[in-house]
Amino acid sequence: MKSRYSHVLMLLGAILAFLPIVAVDYLLDAYVRVREKTTTQQYVGAITSQIGIGANDAIASLRTILADSPSLCTPTFVANVQVAIESSLNMKQVLVENADGVQYCDAFGRTVVYSPMSESLPVPGHTETITVVKLGDMAMPALKITQAFGQTRRVSAFVPLLGQTEAALAEGLGTGGMLRVTLTNGTAIMTVGDATGFDRRTSTTEFVYAQGFAGELPLKVEYAMPFAMARAGYTDLDVGFTIIACLMSGAFLILSLHYVRRSRVPAFDLERAIARGEIKPYYQPVINLRTGQLEGCEVLCRWEKKNGKVIPPGAFIDYAEVTGLAIPMTLSLMQQVKVDLGDLCQLMPEMKVSINLFEGHFRDASIVEDVQAIFGNSQISFRQLVFEITERHPLANSTVAGSVIAGLHALGCRLALDDAGTGHSNLAYLATLGCDIIKIDRVFVDMVKPGTTQVPVLDGLIAMATDLDCEIVAEGVETEAQALYLRARGVLQAQGFIFAPALKIGAFRELAMALHATQAPRSRIEAIIGTDNEIIGEATTVVGSRAA
């Protein structure tokens, strides 16, 4: 077993050692996504800012010209227009025309040739309108900013959409990149690069994408780059990280091998403890909340070392499951339970003994044969046995698990679902298990505080168990308020520190005999220990004194 566990540790060490190498691509991909997303957003922000500055400059210049010119197309007006164009980095032309497009004058005394590329749209927060046009021989689309003057005249300023040419923009995009400017109504103005791949992308094709709006202007800018193309630019960083990861993996693997060779393997200690009988059963009583009598017990375990140290199950149960030692440990506990409780079960034929099984037991049908071999000729009958399975680790839906459950039921044993409500089971799943008892986890019982009148989650679990026609056992009951709340809702069986912790066999036998001696007909019970709070109080007193 020691050798087997060492091999497991070595395998885990090897897997963990190579984890940095495997993680390089994942981490670098995440880094590229974040960095390229930031860069892309900044690029879109620069483009929208440039468009917004040009348009706002034209709006401001147009307003200055009109404010300084008493009338249109006069020498003063033309002079003001020329001064505005000379002082502006963006404005190319100013035109006066009527609503039908008849031109009256412009900055340079010639006919302005332009063709609209979109309809005229208002600029939110401004009196001007904006139209995208093709201006003369200029390759870059232009924005025509128009202000009404009187009833019939229109004064328009023309500015290029961007200061660069489309060719210059294409060079800066990179392979596979796409830059697109559209109006907010969907009208395309300019597309640089290949937009086909982006527009026809599938769920398996990833793009680095960003979009932005040119301030209050009805213009949207989009940029997209295939992630694979962006990732290709980080090859040098990929190589460097891979080398570092290889060095880390080698160091970790060496340390793991060193640890395995020098460390004392805990699994070997647990295997030896099972062989020596150091894993001892402890018994936590289950009390009837209506009568105060003993209903049975749950078998828990402790590791009692020879030096007197007692190790709680939380320190080794998960370990036992991983190493496969849970199966021989359970067999050892059942052998001890047979010896410890045989005479008590014969004296109290209605007492139930609950034993925990693990997920591994339901992958091997031999557990049914083991139960039959251990308890078949004992004083504990099969109908007194309850086998608990936890909801924290749901059983695989396999024929083996089904045959184990059917085999235990065929013997007359009952099945309890432990930790109910803490896993992922639904009503249909619980029904297929064929559970006879549902044990409500203490996390839900703890929700009941003094003065609590309703706990919806707890009430829902109780209702679910009732719908499944299952008995209910509440775990972790620690206060009288919790016991009374549960009993008022029909939960009659409970275990917890309000009654007793898990006890050694001597203390449990004394407790069981004391409670058995107080049994009487129902009328006598009520006469002796009263009703309502008095039943709980008396049961707590009897159990607590015996447990102490």
Side-chain angles (χ1 to χ4, degrees):
M1 184 67 192
K2 181 176 182 178
S3 175
R4 175 187 172 187
Y5 185 71
S6 298
H7 290 157
V8 171
L9 271 184
M10 290 177 66
L11 178 60
L12 290 175
I15 294 173
L16 292 175
F18 285 101
L19 187 61
I21 298 176
V22 176
V24 164
D25 283 341
Y26 175 80
L27 294 175
L28 187 56
D29 284 353
Y31 171 75
V32 171
R33 286 187 183 93
V34 173
R35 193 169 189 272
E36 288 298 314
K37 178 68 175 179
T38 301
T39 303
T40 299
Q41 197 65 57
Q42 290 173 347
Y43 178 74
V44 169
I47 296 294
T48 56
S49 177
Q50 185 178 347
I51 295 174
I53 289 173
N56 288 324
D57 177 57
I59 291 173
S61 297
L62 196 59
R63 291 179 178 180
T64 300
I65 292 169
L66 294 176
D68 295 342
S69 304
S71 59
L72 302 179
C73 294
T74 63
T76 301
F77 172 81
V78 173
N80 289 336
V81 167
Q82 291 175 348
V83 169
I85 291 176
E86 289 173 0
S87 62
S88 173
L89 295 175
N90 302 291
M91 194 162 58
K92 300 300 181 183
Q93 179 63 282
V94 173
L95 174 67
V96 179
E97 59 187 345
N98 64 14
D100 296 325
V102 177
Q103 299 183 9
Y104 294 104
C105 65
D106 71 292
F108 306 110
R110 57 175 180 256
T111 301
V112 180
V113 180
Y114 72 92
S115 57
M117 299 173 61
S118 74
E119 61 182 4
S120 182
L121 295 175
V123 179
H126 297 275
T127 57
E128 292 82 5
T129 61
I130 185 171
T131 309
V132 181
V133 300
K134 176 73 169 61
L135 179 63
D137 297 329
M138 193 166 62
M140 177 65 62
L143 298 179
K144 179 187 176 188
I145 311 295
T146 302
Q147 174 66 271
F149 190 88
Q151 297 296 321
T152 60
R153 302 292 179 92
R154 305 287 185 269
V155 183
S156 302
F158 294 83
V159 293
L161 183 67
L162 292 168
Q164 307 98 306
T165 63
E166 291 190 21
L169 289 171
E171 289 180 2
L173 289 181
T175 306
M178 181 276 296
L179 174 67
R180 180 162 55 198
V181 182
T182 61
L183 291 174
T184 52
N185 64 4
T187 303
I189 297 175
M190 180 186 69
T191 301
V192 180
D194 182 16
T196 306
F198 177 73
D199 292 335
R200 297 180 180 178
R201 65 191 181 277
T202 64
S203 58
T204 59
T205 306
E206 182 179 357
F207 278 79
V208 180
Y209 173 79
Q211 69 174 17
F213 296 88
E216 68 274 17
L217 300 176
L219 291 167
K220 181 173 73 171
V221 177
E222 296 177 286
Y223 176 81
M225 167 72 75
F227 178 76
M229 295 297 181
R231 177 69 165 74
Y234 292 80
T235 302
D236 293 342
L237 194 60
D238 194 358
V239 172
F241 280 175
T242 301
I243 293 174
I244 294 173
C246 288
L247 294 175
M248 293 174 59
S249 297
F252 187 85
L253 185 59
I254 292 172
L255 291 174
S256 298
L257 293 173
H258 183 74
Y259 172 79
V260 170
R261 289 173 180 171
R262 289 184 169 270
S263 65
R264 187 181 181 188
V265 185
F268 181 71
D269 288 341
L270 183 58
E271 183 180 23
R272 187 167 54 188
I274 295 171
R276 291 179 175 177
E278 294 180 4
I279 308 299
K280 299 290 187 181
Y282 277 53
Y283 305 93
Q284 185 169 38
V286 177
I287 302 298
N288 188 303
L289 295 178
R290 180 164 294 166
T291 66
Q293 296 301 316
L294 181 69
E295 290 284 334
C297 63
E298 179 181 356
V299 179
L300 304 172
C301 65
R302 303 289 185 270
W303 183 348
E304 295 183 353
K305 291 198 168 186
K306 290 188 177 297
N307 60 8
K309 182 178 180 181
V310 178
I311 300 177
F316 60 88
I317 287 294
D318 289 341
Y319 211 63
E321 285 194 77
V322 171
T323 58
L325 290 173
I327 293 177
M329 181 177 70
T330 302
L331 295 179
S332 173
L333 289 171
M334 289 195 296
Q335 293 282 7
Q336 296 178 71
V337 167
K338 179 180 71 172
V339 175
D340 289 348
L341 301 182
D343 55 344
L344 283 177
C345 287
Q346 194 169 40
L347 178 64
M348 293 175 275
E350 298 304 316
M351 187 175 81
K352 301 295 185 291
V353 180
S354 295
I355 300 173
N356 288 281
L357 296 182
F358 303 94
E359 190 271 337
H361 287 106
F362 292 87
R363 287 187 271 112
D364 184 355
S366 63
I367 183 63
V368 178
E369 299 174 0
D370 293 332
V371 171
Q372 191 170 15
I374 293 172
F375 295 104
N377 297 315
S378 73
Q379 295 173 297
I380 303 175
S381 67
F382 290 126
R383 69 179 187 82
Q384 292 177 288
L385 294 174
V386 177
F387 290 98
E388 299 187 12
I389 58 176
T390 178
E391 193 190 356
R392 297 180 192 271
H393 304 288
L395 304 181
N397 186 15
S398 66
T399 55
V400 177
S403 65
V404 170
I405 294 172
L408 293 175
H409 276 147
L411 291 177
C413 307
R414 296 203 291 172
L415 201 66
L417 181 69
D418 198 11
D419 308 317
T422 61
H424 308 284
S425 301
N426 54 36
L427 193 63
Y429 173 77
L430 298 181
T432 59
L433 286 180
C435 292
D436 307 291
I437 302 168
I438 288 182
K439 303 191 73 173
I440 298 176
D441 191 80
R442 66 178 301 156
V443 69
F444 303 107
V445 175
D446 283 343
M447 295 178 182
V448 179
K449 308 299 180 184
T452 299
T453 59
Q454 188 176 20
V455 181
V457 176
L458 178 58
D459 295 345
L461 286 173
I462 295 171
M464 178 189 71
T466 303
D467 290 340
L468 290 172
D469 196 25
C470 294
E471 291 184 21
I472 307 173
V473 178
E475 297 182 296
V477 180
E478 297 183 354
T479 67
E480 184 175 324
Q482 292 170 350
L484 291 172
Y485 184 95
L486 292 165
R487 190 180 66 179
R489 283 153 180 79
V491 179
L492 301 182
Q493 300 180 60
Q495 62 188 85
F497 281 10
I498 188 176
F499 303 117
L503 305 172
K504 290 186 176 183
I505 181 57
F508 180 75
R509 288 176 62 87
E510 183 179 357
L511 168 67
M513 295 303 295
L515 290 176
H516 181 68
T518 64
Q519 287 184 357
R522 175 58 188 259
S523 58
R524 289 282 296 146
I525 291 173
E526 293 183 351
I528 293 172
I529 63 175
T531 59
D532 299 329
N533 298 33
E534 296 179 14
I535 294 179
I536 304 298
E538 181 68 19
T540 303
T541 302
V542 173
V543 176
S545 62
R546 296 296 177 180

